[in-house]
Amino acid sequence: MPSLQQIADELSVSVSLVSKVLNNRLGTTGARPELAARIHDTAQRLGYRKNLNAAALKAGRQQAIAVLIHRHGSQGSGLVEALLAGISHATRQRHQRQILSFYDGIAEFAEIVHEYHTGMIDGLIVSGVRHPNLMDELLGLHSRGLPIVTVFNRPISDVLPNVGTPDDQIILAAMRHLIALGRRRILHVSSLKDREVGYDLGLKEAGLERDEDLVFYDRGDDNTFVLENGVRAVRRALANNVAFDAVCAQSDTQALGAMHELIRAGKRIPEDIVVTGVDDSPFARLAFVPLTSVDQRYEDRGQQAVELLDRLVRQQPTQSIDFEPVLNVRQSTEPANADPESTVNDQRTTN
Amino acid sequence: MPSLQQIADELSVSVSLVSKVLNNRLGTTGARPELAARIHDTAQRLGYRKNLNAAALKAGRQQAIAVLIHRHGSQGSGLVEALLAGISHATRQRHQRQILSFYDGIAEFAEIVHEYHTGMIDGLIVSGVRHPNLMDELLGLHSRGLPIVTVFNRPISDVLPNVGTPDDQIILAAMRHLIALGRRRILHVSSLKDREVGYDLGLKEAGLERDEDLVFYDRGDDNTFVLENGVRAVRRALANNVAFDAVCAQSDTQALGAMHELIRAGKRIPEDIVVTGVDDSPFARLAFVPLTSVDQRYEDRGQQAVELLDRLVRQQPTQSIDFEPVLNVRQSTEPANADPESTVNDQRTTN
DNA sequence: TTGTAGGCGTTATCAC
DNA sequence: GTGATAACGCCTACAA
């Protein structure tokens, strides 16, 4: 662990000069090119790495951000992993470190943040399930001067910059695809009214009337998307002899449930009924019939969140940003493939 | 961001006293109880938090560890998320920060580590896919004094402590379950010879002979477990009229492929054929028939890895540790449930 | 029982 | 062009 001091000793120059040269902070004048080169060489040879703690201490920063994620309800969706991939990529470029924590409830959230608040981090990225009481907690922290960026689908407050994908756009992307496929009787599995807006938009664009028989709303346990909702939606529609030629679910788990029930009822996917989900989960391509799904761009959003937080820490102006959801088409909305083995093929473009 | 200095000023005492009191480092003697109490109170009132950078600088540590993970081939398994949950839990207790990075190849790995090596981290936790050239890289870093702990199924070197779950034990756990269910003709979907050992052990315990017709070995693309292997294994067995009453796969994805092919062939799960997987992926419970699977304890192992690394950094003696895999039984090896909706129920005990 | 002094590695300011 | 000095916040001998 060589320090500036060692490089300086080696060359019999001063530490401050070495610092200036290595950081390109030479002011108006500059150093003798030959000397500068020798300094760079020695640094290289000794394998010098800046001590981030010392630099941060001097700068009054922490060069670290906390990432707080509520995992509940997203298991298997790969969202957390995608978000972290984006965040880690961006923090690496910025020579920042993370403090990663998963929290289960608002109490644990408060506890963690209190522990970190100052002295350890420069700011906070919050994502995962949007807990009802979370906003008060975050606003409290915000008013005490802690930079915060959220990664929810939409901003939870005007004062907290958010990196989102609009819920209505998510479902609208799926609806446009279904409409383009010629489907008109689209069963909507809904647990979130914000997303239902996208369903209505899609119908409207196609000049279709909303049929309440085709909308199955159930907010699920704990406000999360569950497989059972898909099962129930399909079961009810079939039991009531409601005709439908497509299922537009608000999550991949719901879509899976719907597909399972359709298969049990002897329906063929996609010949009889086509199905779309949301999240572009890793298991979407592993399903019995690989599932068409809308990508919420979590990896991109993670990167963007780090950037926003950085601006916030530097007191630069910031504002919420939205990413456009991307539809990935798979077999559940395509003509059946001759060889089931090749169903794993994938038309994914982002991530 | 109050400092020790501010507390000291407030009470007109010295910084060092405040430091000693707050850290319980009073040496042999001790401070006046009344004063100590007042110091604690003021710290509390001012919301004092230790500046981790300053403390780490003084201690010659970084209070940060790098976590390097190769994601390839594990998408959807939830392993990365579980590992990170364990690591983040343990690092929080230790007031450590992480530098999280996902790498794609050995070149990127080397680049990342070189960037971090000194000045930013105290040590390294490596997990994910075990890349062939990784060992040389790690041994090089080790010889240069960087503390490293690996989280692979088995140690890759004597000098690098590892937190593992033995591959043979993983499959053995599944085999014992299948044997206990009375199954004797067990089709093994294999991509990893180390795990095949567990298959043989299981047969041996039951006094069974290995039948080569029942073992389908295919290392898959890029040494990873893929769905197609399960498809092909079942297809071949059925085509050759090989009788079997169970499928023991080496991963959940393989097991999914096998189940899909069995269903397409009109077999009933679990009545005709029972199926087991490995990873206890989130999607195991979301499958058409919820899948019995072996948990590799990644969350526990992540925690343990942080602990080992801590010991390594402190130059305390360390050695590799193994965790015992845990089988989670679901419908794919149980009598069918009357109500398909309740198939999501789960007998999971850990994680 | 409390205080003083020095240093961890870096950088900014100012002097030479 | 280059160097001396001070400071970031914390900790720990050592002194009083």
Side-chain angles (χ1 to χ4, degrees), chain B residues 111-329:
Chain B
E111 184 193 337
I112 295 173
V113 172
H114 178 246
E115 196 173 316
Y116 290 157
H117 186 355
T118 50
M120 256 183 114
I121 57 166
D122 295 323
L124 196 59
I125 293 178
V126 182
S127 187
V129 172
R130 198 164 41 196
H131 192 284
N133 297 330
L134 187 58
M135 194 172 97
D136 292 339
E137 188 67 31
L138 290 178
L139 288 179
L141 292 167
H142 170 79
S143 67
R144 270 179 273 151
L146 184 68
I148 300 176
V149 171
T150 58
V151 185
F152 296 126
N153 282 19
R154 58 179 168 79
I156 62 169
S157 155
D158 288 344
V159 298
L160 302 178
N162 181 72
V163 186
T165 51
D167 280 306
D168 54 352
Q169 296 299 310
I170 290 171
I171 297 300
L172 184 56
M175 287 296 287
R176 283 181 174 152
H177 176 59
L178 295 172
I179 298 285
L181 292 173
R183 306 292 165 148
R184 291 295 176 271
R185 300 281 301 168
I186 302 171
L187 182 65
H188 188 43
V189 188
S190 169
S191 295
L192 195 60
K193 288 291 181 187
D194 283 350
R195 294 198 177 173
E196 226 175 284
V197 173
Y199 176 73
D200 291 332
L201 281 175
L203 291 179
K204 199 169 171 187
E205 279 189 5
L208 298 171
E209 286 285 307
R210 171 170 167 142
D211 178 348
E212 290 303 333
D213 284 345
L214 287 175
V215 179
F216 182 89
Y217 177 76
D218 182 342
R219 45 186 288 284
D221 315 324
D222 290 332
N223 263 322
T224 58
F225 302 108
V226 291
L227 187 133
E228 285 80 1
N229 282 347
V231 174
R232 292 198 197 102
V234 167
R235 194 177 288 173
R236 192 189 67 172
L238 293 177
N240 297 348
N241 283 315
V242 176
F244 63 100
D245 52 15
V247 177
C248 174
Q250 288 187 353
S251 79
D252 286 345
T253 45
Q254 292 176 338
L256 276 189
M259 291 202 293
H260 293 172
E261 191 64 17
L262 287 169
I263 291 167
R264 280 190 285 261
K267 304 290 181 189
R268 292 170 308 160
I269 304 169
E271 294 84 347
D272 303 329
I273 315 269
V274 297
V275 182
T276 65
V278 171
D279 280 350
D280 204 40
S281 316
F283 59 72
R285 79 195 60 185
L286 302 173
F288 187 71
V289 180
L291 176 66
T292 293
S293 187
V294 182
D295 183 343
Q296 299 195 56
R297 313 284 301 278
Y298 267 92
E299 183 154 354
D300 294 325
R301 288 161 68 193
Q303 257 182 276
Q304 184 64 246
V306 174
E307 215 166 301
L308 283 193
L309 189 56
D310 210 36
R311 298 179 60 85
L312 224 48
V313 171
R314 296 171 193 274
Q315 320 236 29
Q316 294 169 353
T318 34
Q319 56 182 8
S320 293
I321 296 181
D322 280 338
F323 277 73
E324 199 178 333
V326 173
L327 182 82
N328 291 304
V329 178

Side-chain angles (χ1 to χ4, degrees), chain B residues 70-117:
Chain B
H70 196 148
R71 267 206 300 175
H72 182 67
S74 64
Q75 284 89 350
S77 65
L79 299 184
V80 169
E81 225 178 286
L83 179 71
L84 289 177
I87 289 177
S88 72
H89 184 82
T91 48
R92 176 145 81 95
Q93 295 181 322
R94 290 180 169 66
H95 294 283
Q96 293 180 135
R97 298 174 283 203
Q98 304 104 42
I99 295 180
L100 177 62
S101 278
F102 299 102
Y103 65 96
D104 259 336
I106 198 71
E108 195 179 359
F109 179 91
E111 184 193 337
I112 295 173
V113 172
H114 178 246
E115 196 173 316
Y116 290 157
H117 186 355

Side-chain angles (χ1 to χ4, degrees), chain A residues 13-14 16-17 20 30-32 58:
Chain A
V13 294
S14 74
S16 50
L17 182 61
K20 282 181 228 165
R32 227 166 64 238
K58 172 70 177 143

Side-chain angles (χ1 to χ4, degrees), chain A residues 74-78 227 251-257 259 278-291 293 330, chain B residues 75-77 227 253 256 260 281-284 286-287:
Chain A
S74 65
Q75 284 89 351
S77 65
L227 186 135
S251 79
D252 286 343
T253 45
Q254 292 176 338
L256 275 190
M259 290 204 293
V278 171
D279 279 350
D280 203 39
S281 316
F283 59 73
R285 78 196 61 184
L286 301 174
F288 188 69
V289 180
L291 176 67
S293 187
R330 301 200 183 85
Chain B
Q75 284 89 350
S77 65
L227 187 133
T253 45
L256 276 189
H260 293 172
S281 316
F283 59 72
L286 302 173

